[in-house]
Amino acid sequence: MVTPDGDIIDVRSAEGTFDRAESKLILTGGLRAAHSNGFVLAAPGGSADLDANTAETDGSTLITGPEIKLTAGKANIDGTTEVVVFSQGVKLIYTPE
């Protein structure tokens, strides 16, 4: 995917289904989303409501990137406001260069 700002997000999973009528995407079998800014999200799976511009992970979520490692039980993403809410036990490790 390419964002309006020109950032690239590469999303991969073992399996995926798309419900055209509901505009919902479900990814299973391991989810990996890599952003061109160096951040990578990994989770067992996830889903997205393309009409609402929201997404959430299923299960334990790991985000790595420049200087950080974050683990959480779940991530909810609101693409409209660009807000990510981590829940169900969150741990952030920040290692400055």
Side-chain angles (χ1 to χ4, degrees), residues 57 59-63 70-75 86-91:
T57 61
S60 182
T61 303
L62 169 66
I63 294 182
L70 184 144
T71 57
K74 186 172 192 155
F86 300 100
S87 60
Q88 301 178 5
V90 179
K91 179 178 180 182

Side-chain angles (χ1 to χ4, degrees), residues 1 9 11 31 33 41-43 45-50 52-58 61 63 74-87:
M1 295 184 291
I9 304 170
V11 179
L31 167 63
L41 177 146
S47 59
D49 183 329
L50 303 180
N53 203 17
T54 59
E56 66 181 20
T57 61
D58 296 333
T61 303
I63 294 182
K74 186 172 192 155
N76 289 291
I77 303 155
D78 184 332
T80 304
T81 60
E82 298 182 3
V83 171
V84 181
V85 176
F86 300 100
S87 60

Side-chain angles (χ1 to χ4, degrees), residues 21-62:
E22 296 288 323
S23 193
K24 295 201 177 177
L25 175 66
I26 299 171
L27 302 172
T28 58
L31 167 63
R32 181 181 187 277
H35 193 285
S36 56
N37 64 9
F39 286 91
V40 177
L41 177 146
S47 59
D49 183 329
L50 303 180
D51 285 340
N53 203 17
T54 59
E56 66 181 20
T57 61
D58 296 333
S60 182
T61 303
L62 169 66

